Amino acid sequence: MATPESTLREALDLFAALGLDGIEIICADDYPCGLTLATTQDELNSIRQGAADAGLLVAGLVPYTKDMNSAEAQARSRAVAELKRVIDIAVALDCPAIRVFGGHEVAASDQGIALNWLAESLRELGEYAASAGLQLNIENHMDTMATSAEMTMAIVRAVDLPNVGVLYDQANLAFMNSEVYEMAIALQGPRVQHVHVKDFFWHGTDRIAAVVGHGIVPWKEIVNSLTRIGYEGFYSLEYERRWYPDQLPPPAIGMKQSLDFLRGTNA
């Protein structure tokens, strides 16, 4: 997401030069600096070796599939098949985790049945992932059913598998006017398996992307709170130049500043 102007191999080189520990890779057909479902085994082998040569872990994959709670059974089946392919890609890359969406956002009157469909789909995927030792992480995210920490945990409980947990994104929760970080961590803490780190500020009613530490998200307090409850997973810099190229400096500058800030939060 940080490097829309680059190839994936160029991103690997940049992240290694910045001193990052790993890379989280987008899985989408419309994003050049990522992977597609049609990526061949030879290409995956090359990417895995390239990451290893750069001293980087492939920390996560990020697909955009949402139809796991569709009212159409065929759409749900296609979504499950797509995500099983992403799981297979993760295995080929020695990647331990996959971000999954909480389906599509639905009307309040449809939440019950949609949650059942979503849980059924994610349970099948979770069992498939567990056989390969992988985690599935449901992200706090707008336009899905996981628009609050409370609802994200309702999905996790409905799936009821130990390897299906939470991708905690406090910036998304703040943007959606959902829980403040203290409540979000209290609700989700034991099931947080991955954390997205980004920042923003408001300009009137407009959301403006910011270098971490230059926005409104209290990352020092968040990191310290997660440390106190024993979180030891990844903190992934979700540097949103894919979506906001005019609001953020080039990654060699802004990601470095974000990394320095993040590494100093728990000093």
Side-chain angles (χ1 to χ4, degrees):
M1 184 171 292
T3 51
E5 308 92 343
S6 304
T7 65
L8 184 51
R9 186 56 62 98
E10 288 168 342
L12 288 170
D13 292 340
L14 173 63
F15 292 176
L18 291 175
L20 292 168
D21 299 312
I23 183 170
E24 192 170 11
I25 303 176
I26 287 173
C27 289
D29 291 340
D30 61 347
Y31 188 59
C33 190
L35 300 169
T36 71
L37 297 184
T39 302
T40 67
Q41 185 63 47
D42 285 346
E43 291 169 329
L44 293 173
N45 291 342
S46 177
I47 292 164
R48 182 184 62 204
Q49 189 60 54
D53 290 345
L56 297 171
L57 300 169
V58 180
L61 298 183
V62 184
Y64 287 82
T65 306
K66 279 188 172 182
D67 280 346
M68 297 83 73
N69 66 340
S70 172
E72 300 292 333
Q74 287 186 336
R76 296 197 302 274
S77 294
R78 284 194 299 269
V80 168
E82 288 176 8
L83 289 173
K84 283 184 176 179
R85 171 58 182 155
V86 176
I87 291 168
D88 293 341
I89 290 171
V91 171
L93 295 174
D94 293 329
C95 171
I98 297 167
R99 186 285 301 275
V100 292
F101 277 140
H104 292 281
E105 190 171 17
V106 299
S109 58
D110 296 326
Q111 280 200 344
I113 186 62
L115 178 59
N116 287 340
W117 286 327
L118 179 60
E120 181 180 86
S121 297
L122 292 181
R123 193 176 303 114
E124 180 178 348
L125 289 163
E127 290 170 350
Y128 188 79
S131 67
L134 272 68
Q135 297 174 338
L136 300 184
N137 303 322
I138 303 166
E139 183 175 6
N140 308 134
H141 206 285
M142 56 288 296
D143 302 319
T144 73
M145 291 191 72
T147 53
S148 67
E150 181 177 14
M151 191 60 197
T152 305
M153 283 304 298
I155 299 168
V156 169
R157 287 191 293 269
V159 177
D160 193 27
L161 290 174
N163 67 316
V164 179
V166 175
L167 192 160
Y168 172 41
D169 191 320
Q170 184 59 44
N172 283 351
L173 293 174
F175 174 69
M176 296 183 292
N177 293 312
S178 296
E179 296 92 347
V180 296
Y181 82 88
E182 297 95 334
M183 181 59 70
I185 292 173
L187 286 167
Q188 300 180 142
R191 300 307 301 272
V192 171
Q193 298 180 160
H194 199 85
V195 177
H196 273 176
V197 179
K198 59 178 177 280
D199 216 337
F200 74 97
F201 59 88
W202 295 107
H203 181 72
T205 58
D206 294 329
R207 177 196 185 277
I208 306 298
V211 170
V212 176
H214 292 255
I216 65 171
V217 184
W219 279 110
K220 180 177 178 62
E221 292 81 0
I222 292 168
V223 171
N224 287 338
S225 295
L226 289 170
T227 299
R228 281 196 296 271
I229 65 168
Y231 178 72
E232 296 180 339
F234 288 102
Y235 289 90
S236 180
L237 289 174
E238 194 179 15
Y239 194 71
E240 297 180 300
R241 273 181 64 85
R242 181 185 186 189
W243 308 125
Y244 307 106
D246 298 328
Q247 296 178 7
L248 292 165
I253 298 170
M255 285 193 79
K256 181 63 166 63
Q257 293 171 342
S258 296
L259 178 63
D260 289 346
F261 179 86
L262 184 61
R263 284 185 169 159
T265 56
N266 203 27

